[in-house]
Amino acid sequence: MDFFYVFGKMAELFLIIIIGYICCKCGAFGKEARLHVTRLVLHVAIPGVTLASVLTQDDLPGAAEILGLLAVAFSSYLILIAAAYIVPKLLRAEGAEVGIYRFMVAFANVGFIGYPVTQAIFGDRAVFYTCVFNLPFNFLAFSVGVIFIRKSAAAGSAQDGAAKSVITYKTFLTPCLISSVLAIILALTGWKGPAFIGDTCTILGNITTPAALLVIGSSLAEMPVKEMFSNGRVYVFALFRLLILPLIVYFIYRGFVRDALLLGECVIISAMPVATNGTMLCLQYKADEKLMAQGTFITTLASLVTIPMLAMLFA
């Protein structure tokens, strides 16, 4: 395994966040721009990359194998979502912070960093496994994750004396969730359609990661530098997110997941830093974007060390 390659990919994330920070400080990427970019990414780019993850696969395995991988992937997220109800209590999070911490515990950066890191650690075969893990991520992040974010926003609104937001079925009729369901159906049926459709989705999806990271950096720019690093609770959370949870996943799965690659994939995927989607969802639903951006920043920085450490144990 090439540790420098893994480190380099993590550093790319960090540097783009810093560029977003500088852009905001220079007046080139303020809050209004963040809101517009967020809508573009959530409504166009993420659906594009979700569909491309299936439509551009050269050789999809059979439905039975995909169902088996999906079962393991979904169950691993159930463990993380269960942990999302426990960790905030251990951190003594209160009010609007609870929903933010729940999202940050449950949903990691599977997309951009997941593909190159798992490929560097496990080889080319891991790329499809990561693709399969990305399907339940998108489905759950834009359903359960949205519930976490909206409840956080409602708690913050209640504290400010504003009306609480109402969660209905319409909350989940979003391009992100619809594309996730469609991608799972396409994977199971093996239908890919004309190549230009997948290529078009890939082009649209390519803006997701840089745009999301610029949004995070811009959000951090409105926070005093001291505040970015002074939240001790975020550091304790990062320890749970990056080390303790992956080890829990390992000890749960090692007894019945016989495929060493799949077991390693479960562990490394659960060890990724906080998903970049979280900050954009906070912007969309008016939740605490600064806490989410802070958690994403600290876990991305710390993962420069923690992911290579875990790779040494499980690769």
Side-chain angles (χ1 to χ4, degrees), residues 176-248:
C176 288
L177 188 58
I178 292 170
S179 63
S180 299
V181 174
L182 183 58
I184 292 173
I185 294 172
L186 291 173
L188 292 175
T189 60
W191 188 88
K192 293 194 294 185
F196 75 88
I197 297 178
D199 293 340
T200 302
C201 289
T202 299
I203 293 170
L204 288 173
N206 283 341
I207 70 172
T208 301
T209 296
L213 295 170
L214 289 171
V215 166
I216 291 167
S218 176
S219 297
L220 288 169
E222 297 184 355
M223 186 186 303
V225 174
K226 183 178 179 180
E227 188 177 338
M228 288 169 55
F229 295 96
S230 62
N231 188 342
R233 186 177 289 151
V234 172
Y235 290 97
V236 179
F237 155 74
L239 177 65
F240 276 100
R241 166 74 267 174
L242 300 175
L243 289 176
I244 296 176
L245 289 177
L247 292 175
I248 290 173

Side-chain angles (χ1 to χ4, degrees), residues 153-155 157-158 162-166:
S157 297
K164 291 186 177 182
S165 60
V166 178

Side-chain angles (χ1 to χ4, degrees), residues 58-211:
D58 293 329
D59 187 22
L60 288 172
E65 183 178 349
I66 293 176
L67 283 173
L69 292 173
L70 280 174
V72 173
F74 266 107
S75 64
S76 69
Y77 279 105
L78 294 180
I79 294 170
L80 295 175
I81 290 171
Y85 282 90
I86 298 171
V87 173
K89 293 181 180 179
L90 297 176
L91 296 174
R92 297 182 180 178
E94 298 178 349
E97 291 183 340
V98 174
I100 302 298
Y101 277 110
R102 283 178 177 170
F103 185 96
M104 291 196 297
V105 170
F107 301 108
N109 193 339
V110 180
F112 173 72
I113 194 61
Y115 286 107
V117 167
T118 54
Q119 183 179 29
I121 294 172
F122 300 111
D124 292 339
R125 186 180 165 213
V127 174
F128 179 72
Y129 279 43
T130 306
C131 171
V132 172
F133 271 81
N134 217 22
L135 297 178
F137 166 83
N138 283 314
F139 180 80
L140 294 169
F142 294 103
S143 54
V144 177
V146 167
I147 292 175
F148 291 158
I149 298 297
R150 292 199 60 155
K151 285 189 175 180
S152 175
S157 297
Q159 291 170 0
D160 295 335
K164 291 186 177 182
S165 60
V166 178
I167 298 173
T168 68
Y169 75 93
K170 293 182 180 180
T171 302
F172 309 113
L173 292 181
T174 64
C176 288
L177 188 58
I178 292 170
S179 63
S180 299
V181 174
L182 183 58
I184 292 173
I185 294 172
L186 291 173
L188 292 175
T189 60
W191 188 88
K192 293 194 294 185
F196 75 88
I197 297 178
D199 293 340
T200 302
C201 289
T202 299
I203 293 170
L204 288 173
N206 283 341
I207 70 172
T208 301
T209 296

